[in-house]
């Protein structure tokens, strides 16, 4: 084998190892998971975990996981305009997550990750009275995702993993103090690519 061929083989091998190391893995059984995969919400850590299809089946029932893990649903529902001003959150790109304990958190993406604050639970109840679909939002694993930046008026019930994808997108694309010229077109594409599913 020539030196050139050996070098090419080493480079291919290193690239293969790097790709394998970067591949996402199921956080329960360590199997490699595809780009689009299910997630579990771990209540103790209040975090979303990647899982493979077979492991997700174990948590499909309401009683599965004994409350420690909950399967993040896949449902997305586009809502008509919702007056989120009653929640007192002056941010145009934000998601609201009702919690199992009755509280509601609002989180907005920033270059440093998600900013988080509590929302008045009574105000959330008033909003749910105006938009009855919000009463169906599953605590901890679904959210109301809102984008009113740059003239948009998007309101969705989505899985929380969609919200975290949006936070990661903003963090990745943000440049300078105002976000630069990449972040807002990327956010608009994110919302344009959302599709309803049950």
């Amino acid at each position: 084998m020539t030196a050139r061929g050996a070098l090419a083989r080493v480079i291919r091998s290193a690239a293969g190892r790097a790709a394998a190391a970067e591949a996402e893995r199921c956080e329960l059984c360590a199997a490699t998971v595809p780009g689009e995969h299910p997630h579990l919400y771990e209540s103790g850590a209040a975090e979303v975990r990647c899982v493979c299809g077979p492991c997700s089946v174990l948590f499909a029932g309401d009683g599965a996981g004994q409350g420690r893990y909950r399967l993040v649903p896949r449902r997305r529902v586009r809502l008509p305009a919702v007056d989120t001003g009653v929640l007192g959150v002056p941010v145009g790109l934000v998601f609201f997550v009702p919690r199992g304990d009755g509280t509601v958190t609002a989180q907005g993406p920033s270059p440093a990750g998600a900013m988080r604050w509590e929302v008045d639970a009574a105000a959330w109840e008033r909003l749910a009275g105006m938009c009855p679909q919000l009463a169906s939002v599953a605590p901890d694993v679904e959210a109301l995702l809102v984008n009113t930046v740059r003239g948009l008026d998007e309101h969705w019930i989505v899985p929380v993993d969609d919200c975290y994808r949006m936070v990661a997108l903003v963090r990745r694309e943000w440049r300078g103090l105002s976000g630069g010229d990449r972040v807002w077109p990327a956010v608009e594409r994110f919302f344009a690519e959302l599709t309803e599913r049950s």
Side-chain angles (χ1 to χ4, degrees):
M1 176 181 291
T2 67
R4 187 176 181 183
L7 179 59
R9 194 176 86 210
V10 168
I11 290 171
R12 279 194 307 273
S13 176
R17 283 194 307 273
E22 291 177 14
E24 287 191 87
R25 301 212 169 262
C26 175
E27 294 186 51
L28 296 180
C29 74
T32 303
V33 294
E36 182 82 18
H37 56 268
H39 291 95
L40 291 178
Y41 176 77
E42 183 180 356
S43 57
E47 292 183 356
V48 174
R49 307 283 185 204
C50 297
V51 291
C52 63
C55 284
S56 73
V57 172
L58 301 172
F59 300 93
D62 286 339
Q66 300 173 339
R68 180 176 175 196
Y69 293 108
R70 294 183 49 219
L71 187 62
V72 175
R74 297 190 32 81
R75 143 180 114 123
R76 288 188 191 133
V77 179
R78 187 180 190 132
L79 300 174
V82 178
D83 181 14
T84 54
V86 301
L87 299 176
V89 177
V91 177
L93 182 58
V94 65
F95 60 97
F96 301 91
V97 182
R99 300 293 176 183
D101 63 4
T103 62
V104 178
T105 60
Q107 297 181 57
S110 78
M115 302 176 300
R116 180 179 170 155
W117 56 98
E118 295 291 318
V119 172
D120 179 45
W124 176 262
E125 291 299 320
R126 284 194 301 279
L127 185 63
M130 293 186 276
C131 180
Q133 290 168 301
L134 292 179
S136 72
V137 175
D140 300 316
V141 294
E142 287 186 315
L144 168 62
L145 177 60
V146 177
N147 182 13
T148 58
V149 176
R150 293 172 53 152
L152 294 178
D153 199 14
E154 300 271 357
H155 300 81
W156 289 80
I157 294 173
V158 296
V160 293
D161 52 1
D162 277 351
C163 300
Y164 297 131
R165 280 191 314 111
M166 190 257 310
V167 169
L169 178 141
V170 168
R171 192 169 184 188
R172 183 181 66 240
E173 299 297 336
W174 193 278
R175 300 292 182 271
L177 294 175
S178 64
D181 59 357
R182 291 172 40 170
V183 68
W184 301 117
V187 167
E188 289 173 16
R189 277 192 306 278
F190 175 89
F191 277 88
E193 291 168 3
L194 286 179
T195 55
E196 289 195 275
R197 61 188 186 202
S198 54

